[in-house]
Amino acid sequence: MKKNITLKLLAGALLVFAFIQGIQRFVFDLEDNKCEMTFMFEYPQYVKLNLKELSSTKFPHYNLFVYGEGEQATKYKKGQFTGIPILFIPGNAGSYKQVRSLASYAYRKSLDSRKHFHFDFFTIDFNEELSALYGGILNQQTAFANHCIKSIQLLYKNIGQRKKSLLIIGHSMGGMVAKAVYKEMDFDFSQINTIITLATPHRRPVISLDEDMSNFYQQTNQFWQESTNRTKNVALASIGGADRDIQVRSGLTTAHSPTINVLTTEMPTVWLAADHLCIVWCKQVVSVVVRALFDMVDSSNQNWIEPVAIREEILRYHLIQRPGGKSFKDFQSAKEVQFDPDGQWREVVAHRFTASPQAEDKSNSYFMIPIVDNAFRDRLTAIASGLNIKYWVFGCVAMSWKNSARFCERGIDLSHHTVLLPNIGDFVKRKFVTLDLVSLKEKGFSHIIFNIPRNCQKGFVLVDMYRALDRNLEVRFPFKSYIPFASIAKVVVPSDALSFSVSLPDLNRSWQSIVLKPNGKNCPSQNNALIRKVVPWSHESQYFLTNQSFSLHLHAPKAPADSEYDSVHLQWINPNPQCAFVIEISTDWIGLWAQLARFYSPILLPLVFAIYLHCFAKQLKEKQYRNAVPSTLSCLLEMPIIKLALIPEAFSILLGFIDSLHLPKWPPLSSDEFILRSDGLGFPFMYLLLGIVAWSLAIILSLLFWLGVSTGGNILHTLIIRYLRGSYGISLIVAEVVAIGLSRIPLVISVALVAIASSTCGSLALFLGLAVCIWKLFGYYEDELESMLSDEENQEVDDDFHINTTISLLWLCTAFLSVPTLVVWSRSPDLILPNDYWLVPSFAWSISGMMIWQRSEAVQEKSASYGRVGNVVSVLSLLLLTYGLVSIYRISYFITAAIVIYAVSKYFM
């Protein structure tokens, strides 16, 4: 028995150590913050707008401001609004001043580019409320946002302007508020046609701590999925921050509704990760968003472009694939282009060459590559370096002759297939294109044309034609990478290949992480190649330089709804053909634990609580059948963790089978296990792996709690005595008697706790009750010590101490879940909550505590049904794992129900 406990402790310690290593990687081992700051050229001012009287009475702590600088701010103070309105909605604990970077950059751009229009940036002040921790304020924020939109419209109506639509930029939870506005019954949906969200958790909350939060998300996302007339003309773009955003993991920023979803690592000219706060001021991100704003304006009427398809196309151009210049309007695809017949025409048949103008060329240079029926030349890859032109690659039909040489009079532009490349260290601008020659030949083209204008003498194009099968390699993971230390593969990249693709069909799970170690030969030290990660089901592409090793993982795992044929692949882009590379691919075991920490850290909470519930159930059963209650620590150490983990595993398999039948009325309540599997987050033996970590944490917490009771109980008792003596001027002996009397009359304490919960906050009453519980537990602890010192075994004292220790731990768990509500209540100006979720649980715990603390013999004689209550508690622990893994707020339901059932059984069963 001791050997098994030792092995379990060693395994638990090892897994906890690995999990801590994963947290360290996930939280601290991040790439450097490469975001640049934005600067103002004039003093920023936030002009407060006077809203209707309704606003001051219904929303007394909310305000609406408009951002201005210099002369612009002066006009706003006079009520002169002549720009195009944009509304910024801050998120969790966000400030209205976060609009500064976007507004200042847009204002400076309107002046520098001499545009005939500008933007009016309005921003909402939500008093920095914690909307991610307390869902009760989300509907209130939504109602105020709707009120602000109407008020902004009136500003333009009052000065005789035509009705202008708004564009909303929402940060964090502000993005969800922007979407929820459309559900308001009195909302005019034609007022907003574009929403851009930054680091907004669209899919579900980061952690679902209350039912209002869960209902808010469910109703809002369902409304947008139905795609009603209210939302069909809205362009919605979601931008996530990738690895550096540890507050909102990027997989949550993907919206279900028709949305442009992208991470900052894929955005052209950005190509970096941004943390949760940095994303609103990061110059690289701000500049891209502002360019999209200017392109979405119809300059003829100084309003937003009406067709939603055009606005979505503009957003895709700037956020996902920008093949050319900074302006979408300047890169309208030239369907047909006239060529210069007097230019320098060269027809090249080599499969690999460099297209560059000759020194004596005084006109445009055209390089013609014939498209032939050759199975070994079905793909063409080209990398343009230093070629700062929009249109550079074309398809044509060569039917004209001049000086015994063929040329094309006109061609069809293919530059929209271009992908901009990040800097590899030499500050040379590059772009990349891959063309399917077979497809182009089927469309009737005879040649591919590369155009180098006469004013681009320093530019050149590397061209490589090849068979696609020769440049694609599939790498499989041994044992699907379930063995973390297994070596995966070595990939040799040919030195003459501009492009090479490595397919990783087994890289599709949330917990997987691999490390790549590129080793180059014959490469100049200052030159690098690029490796581009491409994930077909998620816009999370990322570029890596080959001068160092890097870890590769997913932000959005492959879900069951995604195509089974899609697979992650690495695209090798080498602008230095003389370099040869060997890539070592192996499993990154620390990265694996970092992924577990990224995706599954919140799941440890319900697992720990379920373990304590199971321990409580075992104690009750032992009390009934053996008349001896094991201590909480003994119960944990002797717990058959592997067998217990198999129960929820089997239960989840059963639920998964029932879900696959698609029964009409199933499930009555979707299990959280189903939610995880639908998002691609389920994996075999999840409960076993995470359960051992949670079991180890439960042991650590129990030891710390016992240490706190042995020391803190005495301190708490001393504080109570000092309070009684100081407040009422009584002697030490009288204070001791009063304290003992209070402890013997739990009814007084329960009534006091109920009164506190009713008048203040339920969470506060829970913590005060926890303090009383620790104080009472210290009394049990003293009784047990006396029993041990007197060598007289008192089984009743031991049983009371052990059971109440577990109850106190469950009380601690419940109080811990209520911390966000307590923080929100303490930050509220009026100390009033719109909805106190912990009021009923605090009542239940206060009254049940009174019943449990009562230690009269009459009560004990009636308590003869511990076994049945223990069975019920065991069922509750299983239900907690089924319905509380994601919906954290449900945990309190099951724990409170267990305590109430136990308390009632002591009196009435």
Side-chain angles (χ1 to χ4, degrees):
M1 187 69 177
K2 291 183 178 180
K3 184 178 180 181
N4 291 335
I5 293 176
T6 303
L7 290 176
K8 286 194 298 183
L9 288 175
L10 288 175
L14 180 62
L15 292 181
V16 169
F17 174 77
F19 200 83
I20 292 174
Q21 290 291 311
I23 293 176
Q24 192 275 335
R25 168 79 70 86
F26 164 55
V27 176
F28 301 106
D29 192 9
L30 304 171
E31 67 175 82
D32 295 335
N33 191 347
K34 300 176 182 177
C35 282
E36 300 174 7
M37 289 289 294
T38 55
F39 298 95
M40 296 114 20
F41 293 88
E42 299 182 70
Y43 186 77
Q45 298 185 55
Y46 301 88
V47 181
K48 184 178 178 180
L49 300 179
N50 294 322
L51 303 179
K52 292 182 178 179
E53 184 178 351
L54 172 65
S55 175
S56 59
T57 56
K58 191 175 181 180
F59 312 103
H61 307 297
Y62 295 166
N63 293 291
L64 178 65
F65 293 84
V66 60
Y67 177 89
E69 296 179 12
E71 183 182 353
Q72 184 187 42
T74 303
K75 291 182 179 179
Y76 291 153
K77 291 178 181 178
K78 296 179 180 179
Q80 300 175 6
F81 296 90
T82 58
I84 302 171
I86 295 176
L87 177 63
F88 177 80
I89 304 179
N92 176 57
S95 169
Y96 63 95
K97 296 182 179 180
Q98 288 176 309
V99 75
R100 182 200 62 79
S101 295
L102 285 162
S104 180
Y105 194 92
Y107 176 61
R108 186 54 47 185
K109 181 175 174 62
S110 66
L111 297 179
D112 294 343
S113 57
R114 297 184 180 181
K115 298 285 186 181
H116 297 294
F117 61 86
H118 66 276
F119 298 112
D120 295 334
F121 274 86
F122 299 88
T123 178
I124 293 178
D125 176 19
F126 282 138
N127 198 30
E128 300 185 10
E129 292 179 328
L130 301 175
S131 54
L133 302 180
Y134 179 73
I137 57 179
L138 288 173
N139 289 325
Q140 183 174 296
Q141 290 186 352
T142 301
F144 182 72
N146 182 26
H147 182 66
C148 288
I149 292 171
K150 296 177 181 177
S151 301
I152 293 172
Q153 290 285 0
L154 291 176
L155 294 176
Y156 296 88
K157 182 179 180 181
N158 292 340
I159 59 176
Q161 296 189 28
R162 67 184 300 270
K163 183 178 180 180
K164 291 190 176 183
S165 300
L166 275 79
L167 181 144
I168 292 183
I169 299 177
H171 173 240
S172 187
M173 292 301 295
M176 288 302 299
V177 171
K179 291 170 61 178
V181 168
Y182 282 82
K183 300 191 289 86
E184 296 292 298
M185 296 302 297
D186 59 341
F187 174 70
D188 182 3
F189 58 88
S190 64
Q191 294 178 344
I192 302 174
N193 59 19
T194 306
I195 299 175
I196 300 175
T197 65
L198 304 173
T200 294
H202 288 277
R203 188 174 291 269
R204 63 171 182 264
V206 175
I207 182 168
S208 186
L209 294 174
D210 56 68
E211 192 169 2
D212 278 352
M213 176 79 72
S214 178
N215 292 337
F216 178 85
Y217 263 84
Q218 183 179 1
Q219 295 169 7
T220 302
N221 287 335
Q222 182 178 357
F223 179 85
W224 280 79
Q225 288 175 22
E226 292 174 353
S227 188
T228 62
N229 291 332
R230 286 175 170 245
T231 61
K232 67 178 182 180
N233 291 321
V234 180
L236 177 60
S238 174
I239 302 174
D243 281 334
R244 284 195 59 85
D245 191 347
I246 61 176
Q247 296 185 43
V248 177
R249 63 176 180 85
S250 297
L252 296 178
T253 62
T254 302
H256 290 287
S257 53
T259 313
I260 299 169
N261 299 300
V262 68
L263 301 188
T264 53
T265 53
E266 185 173 3
M267 291 172 61
T269 71
V270 179
W271 299 311
L272 52 80
D275 63 53
H276 194 67
L277 297 178
C278 170
I279 199 170
V280 297
W281 58 257
C282 180
K283 184 177 179 181
Q284 292 91 326
V285 177
V286 168
S287 61
V288 172
V289 173
V290 169
R291 290 185 197 123
L293 296 180
F294 276 91
D295 276 347
M296 285 190 290
V297 173
D298 186 349
S299 57
S300 63
N301 58 16
Q302 295 191 12
N303 205 347
W304 301 109
I305 294 175
E306 290 189 7
V308 63
I310 297 178
R311 281 181 277 116
E312 290 178 342
E313 187 178 358
I314 292 172
L315 289 170
R316 287 192 184 93
Y317 177 87
H318 287 282
L319 303 183
I320 297 179
Q321 186 176 8
R322 195 188 98 186
K326 297 180 180 180
S327 175
F328 170 81
K329 296 178 181 178
D330 294 338
F331 191 81
Q332 296 294 330
S333 183
K335 299 297 183 182
E336 190 172 271
V337 176
Q338 295 291 330
F339 294 133
D340 181 10
D342 297 326
Q344 299 296 324
W345 291 86
R346 299 179 179 90
E347 187 167 7
V348 185
V349 296
H351 70 281
R352 188 176 298 108
F353 69 95
T354 300
S356 59
Q358 302 298 322
E360 62 273 10
D361 292 345
K362 303 299 181 182
S363 58
N364 297 333
S365 297
Y366 299 96
F367 294 85
M368 302 175 59
I369 296 95
I371 303 176
V372 297
D373 289 323
N374 188 338
F376 293 91
R377 293 177 58 169
D378 60 356
R379 289 290 189 279
L380 181 148
T381 293
I383 299 176
S385 300
L387 200 62
N388 193 21
I389 59 172
K390 303 171 186 174
Y391 313 114
W392 64 293
V393 57
F394 307 88
C396 73
V397 179
M399 301 181 62
S400 302
W401 293 80
K402 185 174 183 180
N403 298 329
S404 301
R406 288 191 298 179
F407 73 95
C408 294
E409 295 182 357
R410 61 185 62 87
I412 302 299
D413 176 48
L414 301 177
S415 302
H416 56 278
H417 294 290
T418 301
V419 175
L420 299 184
L421 297 178
N423 180 22
I424 63 173
D426 54 5
F427 302 101
V428 176
K429 292 184 178 181
R430 290 182 175 87
K431 45 191 173 183
F432 169 84
V433 69
T434 297
L435 301 175
D436 185 346
L437 298 181
V438 175
S439 176
L440 292 175
K441 186 170 182 62
E442 291 176 352
K443 294 179 180 179
F445 295 112
S446 65
H447 287 77
I448 300 296
I449 302 293
F450 289 98
N451 173 31
I452 301 181
R454 57 180 178 268
N455 59 350
C456 295
Q457 293 298 317
K458 294 183 179 180
F460 63 92
V461 180
L462 299 175
V463 181
D464 184 14
M465 287 176 286
Y466 53 89
R467 185 174 67 164
L469 291 176
D470 296 335
R471 300 289 179 85
N472 286 274
L473 178 66
E474 185 179 272
V475 174
R476 289 282 182 176
F477 295 173
F479 306 103
K480 302 289 185 180
S481 76
Y482 281 103
I483 300 179
F485 296 100
S487 178
I488 295 179
K490 284 188 177 181
V491 177
V492 179
V493 180
S495 60
D496 57 353
L498 292 184
S499 177
F500 193 85
S501 181
V502 178
S503 177
L504 304 172
D506 294 329
L507 183 61
N508 52 33
R509 300 173 182 87
S510 58
W511 50 268
Q512 291 175 312
S513 179
I514 61 175
V515 61
L516 279 76
K517 298 180 180 178
N519 298 307
K521 297 180 179 179
N522 304 322
C523 298
S525 58
Q526 71 274 17
N527 290 330
N528 294 299
L530 288 169
I531 298 179
R532 182 190 183 200
K533 179 188 75 173
V534 180
V535 183
W537 58 84
S538 173
H539 286 290
E540 56 178 272
S541 295
Q542 190 171 0
Y543 290 92
F544 303 92
L545 292 176
T546 56
N547 59 355
Q548 60 184 0
S549 302
F550 57 89
S551 181
L552 204 68
H553 52 262
L554 297 177
H555 294 285
K558 192 174 185 179
D562 298 321
S563 173
E564 60 178 321
Y565 302 105
D566 289 339
S567 63
V568 176
H569 66 272
L570 305 176
Q571 188 175 22
W572 186 272
I573 304 171
N574 186 12
N576 306 294
Q578 69 272 26
C579 295
F581 286 90
V582 177
I583 311 174
E584 297 181 12
I585 306 176
S586 59
T587 300
D588 181 8
W589 78 273
I590 297 181
L592 181 151
W593 282 98
Q595 285 295 93
L596 290 176
R598 184 192 309 275
F599 286 95
Y600 301 102
S601 291
I603 293 180
L604 292 178
L605 286 175
L607 288 175
V608 169
F609 299 162
I611 288 172
Y612 281 137
L613 268 185
H614 176 80
C615 186
F616 183 46
K618 182 180 179 180
Q619 289 178 326
L620 295 178
K621 294 175 185 177
E622 294 291 319
K623 175 70 173 177
Q624 173 73 27
Y625 302 119
R626 298 186 181 181
N627 200 29
V629 178
S631 68
T632 306
L633 189 59
S634 299
C635 179
L636 292 173
L637 292 176
E638 297 172 2
M639 184 176 292
I641 189 67
I642 297 178
K643 292 181 180 179
L644 291 177
L646 294 177
I647 296 176
E649 289 282 357
F651 196 60
S652 68
I653 293 174
L654 176 62
L655 286 177
F657 173 74
I658 299 177
D659 291 337
S660 65
L661 299 178
H662 302 291
L663 300 177
K665 294 184 179 181
W666 176 267
L669 178 63
S670 295
S671 67
D672 286 358
E673 168 72 20
F674 174 78
I675 296 174
L676 292 176
R677 282 187 281 108
S678 63
D679 287 347
L681 296 181
F683 65 91
F685 304 109
M686 176 182 72
Y687 291 101
L688 176 60
L689 186 63
L690 298 178
I692 294 177
V693 176
W695 173 76
S696 304
L697 294 177
I699 292 176
I700 296 173
L701 179 60
S702 299
L703 291 173
L704 293 175
F705 183 75
W706 178 85
L707 182 62
V709 169
S710 61
T711 58
N714 188 30
I715 296 173
L716 186 62
H717 180 77
T718 303
L719 291 176
I720 293 174
I721 297 300
R722 287 185 178 179
Y723 173 76
L724 291 174
R725 295 187 64 189
S727 299
Y728 301 100
I730 57 180
S731 64
L732 177 61
I733 297 177
V734 175
E736 289 281 359
V737 172
V738 172
I740 294 173
L742 287 175
S743 66
R744 300 297 182 183
I745 311 175
L747 177 62
V748 176
I749 299 176
S750 295
V751 171
L753 291 177
V754 169
I756 291 173
S758 302
S759 59
T760 58
C761 171
S763 178
L764 179 62
L766 277 176
F767 273 96
L768 293 176
L770 177 63
V772 175
C773 187
I774 294 174
W775 179 36
K776 292 284 295 182
L777 192 62
F778 180 69
Y780 287 112
Y781 174 68
E782 289 181 324
D783 292 344
E784 187 178 33
L785 286 179
E786 291 178 3
S787 175
M788 294 171 61
L789 293 174
S790 63
D791 293 330
E792 295 181 3
E793 184 177 353
N794 190 333
Q795 189 63 46
E796 181 182 340
V797 172
D798 292 344
D799 291 351
D800 286 344
F801 178 70
H802 295 156
I803 288 180
N804 282 284
T805 298
T806 306
I807 291 174
S808 299
L809 282 166
L810 291 172
W811 198 320
L812 174 64
C813 293
T814 306
F816 174 77
L817 291 176
S818 72
V819 168
T821 302
L822 181 62
V823 173
V824 172
W825 172 79
S826 64
R827 287 166 52 102
S828 175
D830 298 330
L831 294 180
I832 297 176
L833 292 174
N835 189 3
D836 190 355
Y837 315 106
W838 295 98
L839 187 62
V840 174
S842 67
F843 286 172
W845 277 93
S846 300
I847 298 172
S848 299
M850 179 264 301
M851 301 169 70
I852 294 171
W853 294 334
Q854 185 67 38
R855 291 166 53 179
S856 65
E857 293 182 1
V859 173
Q860 294 294 331
E861 290 174 358
K862 296 180 181 179
S863 303
S865 57
Y866 288 106
R868 284 178 292 174
V869 175
N871 291 330
V872 173
V873 174
S874 296
V875 174
L876 289 175
S877 67
L878 181 59
L879 292 175
L880 188 154
L881 293 178
T882 304
Y883 295 101
L885 289 179
V886 178
S887 306
I888 303 296
Y889 65 91
R890 292 175 181 165
I891 295 175
S892 64
Y893 301 164
F894 300 106
I895 296 179
T896 304
I899 296 302
V900 170
I901 292 172
Y902 170 67
V904 171
S905 70
K906 288 173 67 69
Y907 278 84
F908 305 109
M909 296 176 64

Coordinates of all heavy atoms in Angstrom, one line a residue, residues 205-233:
P205 N -16.6 32.5 -23.4 CA -15.7 33.3 -22.5 C -14.4 32.6 -22.1 O -14.3 31.4 -22.2 CB -16.6 33.4 -21.2 CG -18.0 33.0 -21.7 CD -17.9 32.1 -22.8
V206 N -13.4 33.4 -21.8 CA -12.2 32.8 -21.3 C -12.4 31.8 -20.2 O -11.9 30.7 -20.1 CB -11.2 33.9 -20.9 CG1 -9.9 33.3 -20.4 CG2 -10.9 34.8 -22.1
I207 N -13.2 32.3 -19.2 CA -13.7 31.4 -18.1 C -15.1 31.8 -17.8 O -15.3 33.0 -17.5 CB -12.7 31.5 -16.9 CG1 -13.1 30.5 -15.8 CG2 -12.5 32.9 -16.5 CD1 -12.1 30.4 -14.8
S208 N -16.0 30.9 -17.8 CA -17.4 31.1 -17.6 C -17.7 31.1 -16.1 O -17.9 30.0 -15.5 CB -18.3 30.1 -18.4 OG -19.6 30.5 -18.3
L209 N -17.8 32.2 -15.5 CA -17.9 32.3 -14.0 C -19.3 32.5 -13.5 O -19.5 32.4 -12.3 CB -17.0 33.4 -13.5 CG -15.5 33.2 -13.6 CD1 -14.7 34.4 -13.2 CD2 -15.0 31.9 -12.9
D210 N -20.2 32.9 -14.4 CA -21.6 33.0 -13.9 C -22.6 32.8 -15.1 O -22.2 32.7 -16.2 CB -21.8 34.5 -13.4 CG -21.5 35.5 -14.3 OD1 -22.2 35.7 -15.4 OD2 -20.5 36.3 -14.1
E211 N -23.8 32.5 -14.7 CA -24.8 32.1 -15.7 C -25.1 33.3 -16.6 O -25.4 33.0 -17.8 CB -26.1 31.6 -15.0 CG -27.0 30.9 -15.9 CD -28.1 30.2 -15.1 OE1 -28.2 30.3 -13.9 OE2 -29.0 29.6 -15.8
D212 N -25.1 34.5 -16.2 CA -25.4 35.6 -17.1 C -24.4 35.7 -18.2 O -24.7 36.0 -19.3 CB -25.4 36.9 -16.2 CG -26.7 37.2 -15.6 OD1 -27.7 36.4 -15.8 OD2 -26.8 38.1 -14.7
M213 N -23.1 35.4 -17.9 CA -22.1 35.4 -18.9 C -22.3 34.4 -19.9 O -22.2 34.6 -21.1 CB -20.7 35.2 -18.2 CG -19.5 35.1 -19.2 SD -19.0 36.7 -19.8 CE -18.2 37.3 -18.3
S214 N -22.7 33.2 -19.4 CA -23.0 32.1 -20.3 C -24.2 32.4 -21.2 O -24.1 32.1 -22.4 CB -23.2 30.8 -19.5 OG -23.6 29.7 -20.4
N215 N -25.2 32.9 -20.7 CA -26.4 33.2 -21.4 C -26.2 34.4 -22.4 O -26.7 34.3 -23.6 CB -27.6 33.6 -20.5 CG -28.1 32.5 -19.7 OD1 -27.9 31.3 -20.0 ND2 -28.7 32.8 -18.5
F216 N -25.4 35.3 -22.0 CA -25.0 36.4 -22.9 C -24.3 35.9 -24.2 O -24.6 36.3 -25.3 CB -24.1 37.4 -22.2 CG -23.7 38.6 -23.0 CD1 -24.5 39.7 -23.1 CD2 -22.4 38.6 -23.6 CE1 -24.0 40.8 -23.9 CE2 -22.0 39.6 -24.4 CZ -22.8 40.8 -24.5
Y217 N -23.4 35.0 -24.0 CA -22.6 34.5 -25.1 C -23.5 33.6 -26.0 O -23.5 33.7 -27.2 CB -21.4 33.7 -24.6 CG -20.1 34.4 -24.6 CD1 -19.8 35.3 -23.6 CD2 -19.3 34.3 -25.7 CE1 -18.6 36.0 -23.6 CE2 -18.1 35.0 -25.7 CZ -17.8 35.9 -24.7 OH -16.6 36.6 -24.7
Q218 N -24.3 32.8 -25.3 CA -25.2 31.9 -26.1 C -26.2 32.6 -26.9 O -26.4 32.3 -28.1 CB -25.9 30.9 -25.1 CG -26.8 29.9 -25.8 CD -27.5 29.0 -24.8 OE1 -27.3 29.1 -23.6 NE2 -28.2 28.0 -25.3
Q219 N -26.8 33.6 -26.3 CA -27.8 34.4 -27.1 C -27.2 35.2 -28.2 O -27.7 35.3 -29.3 CB -28.6 35.3 -26.1 CG -29.4 34.5 -25.1 CD -30.0 35.4 -24.0 OE1 -29.8 36.7 -24.1 NE2 -30.6 34.8 -23.0
T220 N -26.0 35.9 -27.9 CA -25.4 36.7 -28.9 C -24.9 35.9 -30.1 O -25.1 36.2 -31.2 CB -24.2 37.5 -28.3 OG1 -24.7 38.3 -27.2 CG2 -23.6 38.4 -29.3
N221 N -24.2 34.8 -29.8 CA -23.6 34.0 -30.9 C -24.7 33.3 -31.7 O -24.6 33.2 -32.9 CB -22.7 32.9 -30.3 CG -21.3 33.5 -29.9 OD1 -20.9 34.6 -30.3 ND2 -20.7 32.9 -28.9
Q222 N -25.8 32.9 -31.0 CA -26.9 32.2 -31.7 C -27.6 33.3 -32.7 O -27.9 33.0 -33.8 CB -27.9 31.7 -30.8 CG -29.1 31.0 -31.4 CD -30.0 30.3 -30.4 OE1 -29.8 30.4 -29.2 NE2 -31.1 29.8 -30.9
F223 N -27.7 34.5 -32.2 CA -28.3 35.6 -33.0 C -27.5 35.8 -34.3 O -28.0 35.9 -35.4 CB -28.4 36.8 -32.2 CG -28.9 38.0 -32.9 CD1 -30.3 38.2 -32.9 CD2 -28.1 38.9 -33.5 CE1 -30.8 39.3 -33.6 CE2 -28.6 40.0 -34.2 CZ -30.0 40.2 -34.3
W224 N -26.1 35.8 -34.1 CA -25.3 36.1 -35.3 C -25.2 34.8 -36.2 O -25.1 35.0 -37.4 CB -23.9 36.5 -34.9 CG -23.9 38.0 -34.5 CD1 -24.3 38.5 -33.3 CD2 -23.4 39.0 -35.3 NE1 -24.1 39.9 -33.4 CE2 -23.6 40.2 -34.6 CE3 -22.9 39.1 -36.6 CZ2 -23.3 41.5 -35.1 CZ3 -22.5 40.3 -37.1 CH2 -22.7 41.5 -36.4
Q225 N -25.3 33.7 -35.7 CA -25.3 32.5 -36.5 C -26.5 32.3 -37.4 O -26.4 31.8 -38.5 CB -25.1 31.2 -35.7 CG -23.7 31.1 -35.0 CD -23.7 29.9 -34.1 OE1 -24.5 29.0 -34.1 NE2 -22.7 29.9 -33.2
E226 N -27.6 32.9 -36.9 CA -28.9 32.8 -37.7 C -28.8 33.7 -38.9 O -29.6 33.6 -39.8 CB -30.0 33.1 -36.8 CG -30.3 32.1 -35.7 CD -31.4 32.5 -34.8 OE1 -31.9 33.7 -34.9 OE2 -31.8 31.7 -33.9
S227 N -27.9 34.7 -38.9 CA -27.7 35.6 -40.0 C -29.0 36.2 -40.5 O -29.5 36.0 -41.6 CB -27.1 34.8 -41.2 OG -26.7 35.7 -42.3
T228 N -29.6 36.9 -39.6 CA -30.9 37.6 -39.9 C -30.6 38.9 -40.8 O -29.5 39.2 -41.1 CB -31.6 38.0 -38.6 OG1 -30.7 38.9 -37.9 CG2 -31.8 36.8 -37.7
N229 N -31.7 39.5 -41.1 CA -31.6 40.8 -41.9 C -30.8 41.8 -41.1 O -30.3 42.8 -41.7 CB -33.0 41.3 -42.2 CG -33.7 40.4 -43.2 OD1 -33.1 39.8 -44.0 ND2 -35.1 40.4 -43.1
R230 N -30.8 41.7 -39.8 CA -30.0 42.7 -39.0 C -28.5 42.6 -39.2 O -27.8 43.6 -39.1 CB -30.3 42.5 -37.5 CG -31.7 43.0 -37.1 CD -32.0 42.7 -35.6 NE -33.2 43.4 -35.2 CZ -33.2 44.3 -34.2 NH1 -32.1 44.7 -33.7 NH2 -34.4 44.9 -33.9
T231 N -28.0 41.4 -39.5 CA -26.6 41.2 -39.6 C -26.1 40.9 -41.0 O -24.9 40.9 -41.2 CB -26.2 40.1 -38.7 OG1 -26.8 38.9 -39.1 CG2 -26.6 40.4 -37.2
K232 N -26.9 40.7 -42.0 CA -26.4 40.2 -43.3 C -25.6 41.3 -44.0 O -24.8 40.9 -44.9 CB -27.6 39.8 -44.1 CG -28.6 41.0 -44.6 CD -29.7 40.4 -45.5 CE -30.6 41.6 -45.9 NZ -31.7 41.1 -46.8
N233 N -25.8 42.6 -43.7 CA -25.0 43.6 -44.3 C -23.8 44.1 -43.5 O -23.3 45.2 -43.7 CB -25.9 44.8 -44.7 CG -26.9 44.4 -45.8 OD1 -26.6 43.7 -46.8 ND2 -28.1 44.9 -45.7

